Amino acid sequence: MSVTETVRNNEQLNRYELTVDGDTAVAEYELRDGKIVFTHTHVPESMSGKGVGSALAKGALDDVRAQGKKALPLCSFIEAYIKRHPDYADLVE
């Protein structure tokens, strides 16, 4: 499955969302001291193993960069994604 849907920042709920085939994966965050602090990522079981989580992380981190902000990955999924993709390491202080 190719994930072509767009990650969107749902600022009202403080989370990034990626909806595919009616299911939504989310990366929750808090705003602290001008940083986007990723606290939890949830990918429904029906989406597991299809690249949805990685697409969500990439879209969220691309948005952090576009906003000129820094990220603090308290969520283990986002932290692991950054370690696997060092081109995002500059977003972490």
Side-chain angles (χ1 to χ4, degrees):
M1 170 186 174
S2 174
V3 177
T4 58
E5 286 76 5
T6 302
V7 173
R8 81 176 194 103
N9 183 359
N10 184 335
E11 294 180 32
Q12 290 182 325
L13 296 178
N14 284 348
R15 67 188 199 179
Y16 287 92
E17 302 172 339
L18 179 56
T19 301
V20 179
D21 298 332
D23 289 323
T24 303
V26 298
E28 298 172 358
Y29 66 84
E30 298 173 5
L31 297 175
R32 293 188 206 161
D33 301 321
K35 293 181 192 145
I36 295 181
V37 181
F38 289 97
T39 57
H40 179 71
T41 300
H42 174 72
V43 177
E45 185 70 30
S46 63
M47 302 170 104
S48 183
K50 298 179 181 177
V52 173
S54 291
L56 175 63
K58 179 184 184 321
L61 292 168
D62 286 347
D63 187 64
V64 170
R65 178 170 279 135
Q67 291 183 54
K69 294 188 176 181
K70 294 290 185 179
L72 178 57
L74 298 182
C75 164
S76 60
F77 185 87
I78 299 292
E79 181 180 31
Y81 184 87
I82 292 170
K83 286 181 181 177
R84 287 191 318 272
H85 299 87
D87 47 317
Y88 290 107
D90 63 304
L91 295 178
V92 181
E93 287 186 332

